[in-house]
Amino acid sequence: MTPRPESSGSHPKGTAGEKIPEQPTAAQQKSAAKKTAVPKQAAAKKGTAAAKKAAAKKTPPAQSPAAKATAKKAAPAKTTAAKKAVAKKAVAKKSGPAQAPAAKATAKKVAATKAAAEQTAVKKTAASKTVAKKATAKKSAPAQAPAAKATAKKVAATKAAAEQTAVKKTAASKTVAKRTAVTKSAAEKAATAKAAATKTAAKATTRATTKAAAAKSPAKKAPAKKATAKKAAPLKATAEKAAAPAQVVPPEMEIAVSPAVDAVDRERLLAGTHHAPHSVLGAHPVPGGVAFRAFRPYARSVTVLSGELRAELHDDGEGFFSGLLPLTDVPVYRLLVEYEGTVLETEDAYRFLPTLGDLDLHLIGEGRHEELWTALGAHPTTHQGVTGTRFAVWAPNARGVRVAGTFNFWDGSGHVMRSLGSSGVWELFLPDIGEGELYKFEITRPDGTKTLRADPMARRTEVPPATSSVITSSAYEWGDAEWLARRAEAPAHESPFSVYEIHLPSWRPGLTYRQLAEQLPGYVKNLGFTHVELMPVAEHPFGGSWGYQVTGFYAPTARLGTPDDFRYLVDALHRAGIGVLMDWVPAHFPRDDWALAEFDGRPLYEHEDPLRAAHPDWGTLEFDFGRNEVRNFLVANAVYWCEEFHIDGLRVDAVASMLYLDYSREPGQWTPNEHGGRENLDAVAFLQEMNATVYRRVPGVVTIAEESTAWDGVTRATHHKGPSGFGGLGFGLKWNMGWMHDSLQYMSHEPVHRKYHHGEMTFSMVYAYSENYVLPISHDEVVHGKRSLVSKMPGDWWQQRAGVRSYLGFMWAHPGKQLLFMGQEFAQGAEWSEAHGPDWWLLDPGYGAEPDHRGVRDLVRDLNTVYRATPALWRLDTDPAGFEWIVGDAADDNVLAFLRLDPEGTPILAVSNFAPVIRQDYRLGVPEEIPAWHEAVNTDAGRYGGSDVTNPDPVKPEAQPWHGRPASIRLTLPPLSTVWLRPA
């Protein structure tokens, strides 16, 4: 339908809903009247008479009385113009072809009328044009006779002045429009119903109204108000004063509109490609009242509830419902939705304002939203006084996004999200939806196909292999305030830092986070480790990846419990005085079609260049570190784990694969950077930003790089440029992969051959202070055929265990922090398997070799105990002043000896004998100021399973220079051992 233009109210004979053509001015009409000749007036009269006769012949017998009644009731004082207008109206409604001459004749008669030329000419012209339009719109039908009769009667009965006559004629013509609405013609019925903006029409559309509106706004008053012309200002004011209460539509708003969703919006909503569903659905002020529109697939009926208002909406088909209520403002309302077998009273999701503000969207677009998890994802909340869940997802290439989940039986048709400007963010608040519900985003790709995706920002997931996201919020109350306050007292590289690396799902298979919290803190504390490092906790679909192929970057794996359960575990470790590090994987992600890969139909989180996107080693996809939103996703993720879960540090996986464009790629498979180099400048900038942000926001945390190359400045501050021209990456620590590789290679040789590889044990000191290092014996070294640590050692079982003990003693004394993977602390002989975890049965007292394994574990405990109590072993780990060689070139003896010193110069002497022979009276140069030395640790002690060759008494230096020092001592070096001595 075509809504009536605002100017239609000034035309006395304009029917509601009709378009009134632009009228000539009074001066123009007067000029035309003067120019019309008298003979032409006569001809016009004859033409009018002929038209009347023709109309009388064509009018059915039932209409003749109506015409006679009209003539009888016409008052003598009535102007000729009024009579002719009525006659023309009757003719126009019954005879289509004859109306054109009638209109012309009327126009000529207007010119002939000399009295009141200006006023009458305007009115007659309007009347004739209105008749002509009605002739076009309506077909001849017998059912129209009553309408014509009513028109004739009302016009004949009107005896007021010219202006009042015009007003009443308008009312009469609108009454005709109202009555015409009940004709049998469906097309006429629809057109007239839309045109009639009376309260009665509104009641017909909505089938209901308030009692107050019914009492104070009778249907009879509507035509009078509608008839008010723009020129009749006093009459209009009077009508408005007499109107019903404030919520009822004032006269000037009572314009015919259709509340139904138009065809274009309807199609887009059904297809799930509407960017602004809130602009269509919900309640909207429109001319004539408030239009209510709902899209409820499968519903039988939808009723609007607001106070005493109870209005059932019209069923427009395909799940759409609409209605027009005569209200001035959008009320607070709810919907009563009837489905087959049930009735649901709920809020309308499309009546709410966006839950994200301009600042959030601005920060997301810039890639600077450091608390991104608070903006995107699913969050139970109270919005505009209503509880529910707000959903938001970044999908800039999507044609449309809908939310599907258990709350709508995985049919997202009725939950279309809105696009928030150019941010690429889609948002929707769903009332009455809370924690525990499963959900995904149904995304329409640019090519029109659809994909169902887990939420990249989901903070909880289903237990794999299920892949849905879960609505969650945290109610956990932390108890680790003392730990958090203390952890920032000293930086990690100047503190004791020995790490027990574990894979939570397999450490004690079958235990949940809360059950682990009852066992793990006590075990780790007993062994003396300062920290645990958890292999990736973030959700991952394939357990065999050990967590290194992440799909849920913001969700702890559901295999072991809820996010709050994981918080409980971290809290328990902190209360036991143990820090928590976590492996974090920002380098790549898997290609699962329900996760991040081509999330919205195009490369989004991955690089758009396939050569840059595909990781050649793992079959995964690399992140596009140059894209603001992707970089923001990862930086905020690092902050998220530290702030939301009180993680004390992040060990960043596969840093080397991020730094180099040619990593594992052959020539021609990579594109140089803008300077022609192989450095991935985007990844460098990302790592610098991540480190700077984490250290700024979370005091006391540490970031650790697993970086296996000689990249300059991994642990240098980001604002300090090195020889390469780059600022440092900003990490706190770096895994010393070179030391690990070289030392394990040395230990794998038979002792008789070790003298040829002596440099593998000493080379690490050449670069030991170039970075802040961690010495890692990690999971990577005890799987995939590399054998466990004890199994790497040559010789028989006794020699293997002795080799492990001596190696661990050397490792704990070497500059750098220590990391040991689970199972290696008790010399497990088998490789680690994620399926069954460590071989705890080796520590069963009923097992014959139990003392051998328990002895190694006891050694680890003692190493940690002495280490933590001896600042010389950790205070100057990154300062050359904390280390002095005693002898580093005794290759033939397989002996290494060095001093570690604290800032005050207090030393500890470490001596390793990697030969399977006892060396009696082995002379070593020492500082002369130390009066005596005694053993602090001897890895060959009997309680560790060794041969118990020791130096039980204090060892006093002799005044014999040795190894360039003024004094020396003589020691008995046990076979395959490391001995620590400290000042007596």
Side-chain angles (χ1 to χ4, degrees):
M1 59 81 66
T2 305
R4 183 178 69 181
E6 294 180 2
S7 60
S8 61
S10 63
H11 298 280
K13 295 193 177 183
T15 305
E18 292 184 348
K19 255 188 179 177
I20 306 300
E22 199 173 311
Q23 300 296 328
T25 64
Q28 290 171 334
Q29 293 186 12
K30 189 172 183 180
S31 174
K34 287 181 180 179
K35 292 180 180 179
T36 305
V38 176
K40 290 183 179 179
Q41 294 176 13
K45 288 179 181 179
K46 290 179 182 179
T48 302
K52 285 181 180 179
K53 289 178 182 179
K57 289 177 181 179
K58 291 182 181 179
T59 302
Q63 283 185 318
S64 298
K68 289 177 182 180
T70 302
K72 286 179 181 179
K73 289 186 180 179
K78 191 76 173 169
T79 63
T80 306
K83 291 180 181 179
K84 289 177 180 177
V86 174
K88 285 189 290 179
K89 203 166 195 177
V91 172
K93 289 190 177 181
K94 300 310 293 179
S95 53
Q99 283 178 335
K104 289 181 182 177
T106 304
K108 290 178 182 179
K109 286 205 171 188
V110 170
T113 306
K114 301 280 178 92
E118 286 182 31
Q119 189 174 0
T120 308
V122 173
K123 294 175 181 176
K124 288 187 177 181
T125 303
S128 66
K129 290 189 176 181
T130 302
V131 170
K133 289 191 72 175
K134 287 186 179 179
T136 305
K138 299 183 180 290
K139 302 289 183 180
S140 177
Q144 289 176 324
K149 183 186 289 186
T151 304
K153 287 181 179 180
K154 292 208 174 193
V155 172
T158 304
K159 295 185 178 181
E163 187 174 356
Q164 292 175 335
T165 302
V167 173
K168 290 183 179 179
K169 284 180 183 177
T170 303
S173 64
K174 291 187 177 180
T175 304
V176 173
K178 283 172 59 183
R179 294 186 180 180
T180 306
V182 299
T183 61
K184 293 179 182 178
S185 170
E188 287 180 16
K189 183 175 182 180
T192 310
K194 290 176 183 178
T198 63
K199 293 183 180 69
T200 305
K203 286 168 67 180
T205 305
T206 61
R207 306 181 195 175
T209 188
T210 60
K211 294 179 181 179
K216 296 185 180 180
S217 304
K220 292 180 181 178
K221 289 187 179 181
K225 289 195 288 180
K226 284 186 175 181
T228 306
K230 282 187 177 181
K231 293 179 182 179
L235 290 177
K236 185 181 288 185
T238 304
E240 289 176 3
K241 262 188 180 180
Q247 72 269 20
V248 179
V249 179
E252 62 270 20
M253 290 179 62
E254 296 189 9
I255 303 173
V257 294
S258 171
V261 177
D262 67 35
V264 175
D265 287 328
R266 188 186 185 105
E267 181 180 352
R268 291 175 65 194
L269 287 168
L270 287 170
T273 58
H274 206 296
H275 281 66
H278 293 70
S279 67
V280 177
L281 303 175
H284 299 274
V286 297
V290 175
F292 290 83
R293 305 183 189 96
F295 181 35
R296 294 281 174 165
Y298 315 113
R300 289 187 168 185
S301 68
V302 176
T303 302
V304 174
L305 305 178
S306 179
E308 294 185 0
L309 174 68
R310 188 182 181 91
E312 184 177 344
L313 303 183
H314 181 265
D315 187 347
D316 300 325
E318 297 184 289
F320 290 93
F321 297 83
S322 65
L324 180 66
L325 294 183
L327 307 172
T328 56
D329 299 306
V330 175
V332 176
Y333 69 95
R334 290 173 66 85
L335 297 178
L336 189 67
V337 185
E338 180 186 353
Y339 296 96
E340 183 176 355
T342 186
V343 176
L344 173 68
E345 183 177 336
T346 183
E347 297 284 349
D348 185 358
Y350 295 94
R351 78 171 182 86
F352 296 96
L353 297 172
T355 56
L356 293 182
D358 291 339
L359 179 59
D360 285 316
L361 300 178
H362 172 74
L363 292 175
I364 291 171
E366 281 200 336
R368 301 290 180 183
H369 204 308
E370 294 176 1
E371 297 181 1
L372 187 65
W373 68 92
T374 65
L376 302 182
H379 295 267
T381 187
T382 299
H383 182 49
Q384 294 179 221
V386 176
T387 58
T389 298
R390 58 181 178 88
F391 297 87
V393 63
W394 178 61
N397 298 310
R399 290 178 57 189
V401 183
R402 301 190 285 203
V403 183
T406 50
F407 44 85
N408 58 19
F409 302 98
W410 293 103
D411 184 349
S413 302
H415 290 147
V416 185
M417 303 181 76
R418 66 176 145 206
S419 176
L420 299 180
S422 60
S423 65
V425 175
W426 300 76
E427 178 270 348
L428 181 64
F429 174 74
L430 290 182
D432 306 323
I433 303 301
E435 289 190 62
E437 298 281 6
L438 308 183
Y439 72 99
K440 282 187 177 181
F441 294 114
E442 181 190 280
I443 296 174
T444 302
R445 301 184 181 102
D447 63 0
T449 60
K450 299 189 184 302
T451 178
L452 199 60
R453 298 290 177 134
D455 184 0
M457 303 292 298
R459 290 168 293 117
R460 184 181 173 189
T461 67
E462 276 191 292
V463 179
T467 59
S468 296
S469 305
V470 183
I471 299 173
T472 188
S473 64
S474 176
Y476 188 76
E477 296 183 6
W478 290 90
D480 61 351
E482 183 180 347
W483 168 266
L484 296 180
R486 190 173 68 248
R487 74 178 181 182
E489 291 176 354
H493 63 276
E494 296 179 355
S495 304
F497 197 92
S498 62
V499 183
Y500 182 61
E501 185 188 25
I502 66 173
H503 179 251
L504 281 178
S506 68
W507 184 73
R508 294 279 192 181
L511 297 189
T512 65
Y513 290 128
R514 289 185 178 268
Q515 291 168 337
L516 285 166
E518 303 304 317
Q519 298 187 30
L520 182 60
Y523 182 81
V524 176
K525 185 175 183 178
N526 177 263
L527 289 180
F529 287 100
T530 64
H531 292 74
V532 293
E533 180 176 315
L534 311 179
M535 291 171 67
V537 174
E539 192 59 270
H540 48 283
F542 176 48
S545 73
W546 312 332
Y548 290 97
Q549 295 192 7
V550 179
T551 52
F553 281 81
Y554 285 78
T557 180
R559 293 171 174 85
L560 308 180
T562 68
D564 275 356
D565 291 341
F566 179 62
R567 288 181 174 92
Y568 181 84
L569 171 59
V570 175
D571 200 5
L573 287 163
H574 282 171
R575 285 185 272 110
I578 300 164
V580 182
L581 312 177
M582 188 187 83
D583 281 10
W584 185 55
V585 192
H588 61 116
F589 58 92
R591 296 175 179 264
D592 299 75
D593 60 5
W594 50 268
L596 297 183
E598 293 191 351
F599 182 74
D600 58 3
R602 289 180 182 164
L604 187 64
Y605 289 91
E606 66 271 39
H607 202 283
E608 62 183 359
D609 180 356
L611 293 178
R612 289 278 297 273
H615 197 293
D617 287 348
W618 303 311
T620 53
L621 296 169
E622 296 183 11
F623 282 101
D624 183 359
F625 302 110
R627 185 161 189 166
N628 287 348
E629 297 89 345
V630 174
R631 191 174 64 250
N632 192 176
F633 173 81
L634 294 170
V635 171
N637 186 241
V639 175
Y640 169 77
W641 287 105
C642 294
E643 290 189 352
E644 291 293 319
F645 294 95
H646 294 193
I647 296 298
D648 301 296
L650 300 172
R651 199 279 296 192
V652 183
D653 184 66
V655 172
S657 73
M658 301 164 64
L659 292 176
Y660 298 97
L661 296 171
D662 63 344
Y663 185 87
S664 289
R665 293 176 173 90
E666 299 297 327
Q669 295 181 339
W670 61 281
T671 304
N673 62 33
E674 60 194 56
H675 305 296
R678 65 191 186 113
E679 299 84 4
N680 188 336
L681 303 181
D682 292 334
V684 171
F686 156 69
L687 291 171
Q688 290 174 328
E689 180 182 347
M690 181 276 297
N691 282 310
T693 304
V694 168
Y695 279 110
R696 171 172 51 82
R697 289 186 61 107
V698 196
V701 300
V702 61
T703 58
I704 307 167
E706 184 213 14
E707 205 283 312
S708 56
T709 73
W711 183 279
D712 176 56
V714 172
T715 58
R716 189 171 60 238
T718 58
H719 58 282
H720 290 165
K721 290 188 177 180
S724 62
F726 289 106
L729 296 183
F731 284 95
L733 298 169
K734 172 184 174 177
W735 274 19
N736 193 335
M737 310 293 282
W739 172 89
M740 177 271 298
H741 179 271
D742 291 345
S743 62
L744 289 178
Q745 184 71 21
Y746 174 86
M747 295 301 297
S748 68
H749 295 301
E750 290 285 347
V752 68
H753 301 302
R754 285 174 177 168
K755 65 181 180 179
Y756 303 109
H757 303 276
H758 195 74
E760 293 175 346
M761 293 297 271
T762 60
F763 179 67
S764 60
M765 293 310 302
V766 174
Y767 59 87
Y769 302 104
S770 61
E771 302 282 3
N772 305 335
Y773 282 116
V774 175
L775 311 179
I777 301 299
S778 73
H779 63 277
D780 278 330
E781 308 315 314
V782 296
V783 292
H784 300 327
K786 295 180 182 179
R787 297 173 295 173
S788 69
L789 183 60
V790 70
S791 298
K792 294 176 189 291
M793 306 298 158
D796 58 22
W797 175 234
W798 189 94
Q799 289 183 328
Q800 286 181 316
R801 288 184 293 113
V804 164
R805 293 194 303 268
S806 63
Y807 181 75
L808 292 175
F810 170 76
M811 172 182 173
W812 253 252
H814 191 283
K817 311 307 180 182
Q818 299 79 38
L819 178 141
L820 188 65
F821 183 60
M822 64 182 192
Q824 311 315 302
E825 78 273 19
F826 57 82
Q828 173 177 311
E831 287 188 347
W832 168 64
S833 167
E834 79 278 357
H836 58 75
D839 293 334
W840 296 108
W841 56 271
L842 296 173
L843 298 173
D844 187 338
Y847 176 58
E850 180 267 344
D852 298 342
H853 298 282
R854 189 172 297 278
V856 175
R857 191 176 70 170
D858 290 344
L859 170 66
V860 170
R861 178 191 300 111
D862 290 348
L863 287 173
N864 276 324
T865 301
V866 176
Y867 167 79
R868 296 177 70 166
T870 309
L873 291 172
W874 46 263
R875 182 66 176 81
L876 298 178
D877 265 337
T878 59
D879 188 340
F883 178 90
E884 293 180 10
W885 278 114
I886 297 296
V887 56
D889 58 355
D892 289 342
D893 297 335
N894 294 351
V895 171
L896 294 167
F898 52 84
L899 291 173
R900 298 294 309 278
L901 302 102
D902 66 16
E904 287 71 38
T906 304
I908 187 167
L909 174 62
V911 185
S912 295
N913 175 23
F914 293 117
V917 296
I918 300 174
R919 301 195 182 279
Q920 301 284 353
D921 294 329
Y922 197 85
R923 187 174 293 276
L924 296 169
V926 294
E928 61 179 346
E929 63 271 16
I930 305 299
W933 301 81
H934 70 81
E935 283 186 356
V937 172
N938 185 331
T939 65
D940 192 52
R943 64 180 179 277
Y944 305 140
S947 57
D948 208 25
V949 176
T950 64
N951 297 275
D953 300 321
V955 180
K956 297 182 179 180
E958 301 173 358
Q960 181 175 351
W962 205 260
H963 294 138
R965 297 181 180 271
S968 59
I969 57 175
R970 289 182 298 166
L971 293 174
T972 298
L973 299 183
L976 297 174
S977 66
T978 294
V979 178
W980 292 359
L981 298 100
R982 58 185 173 191

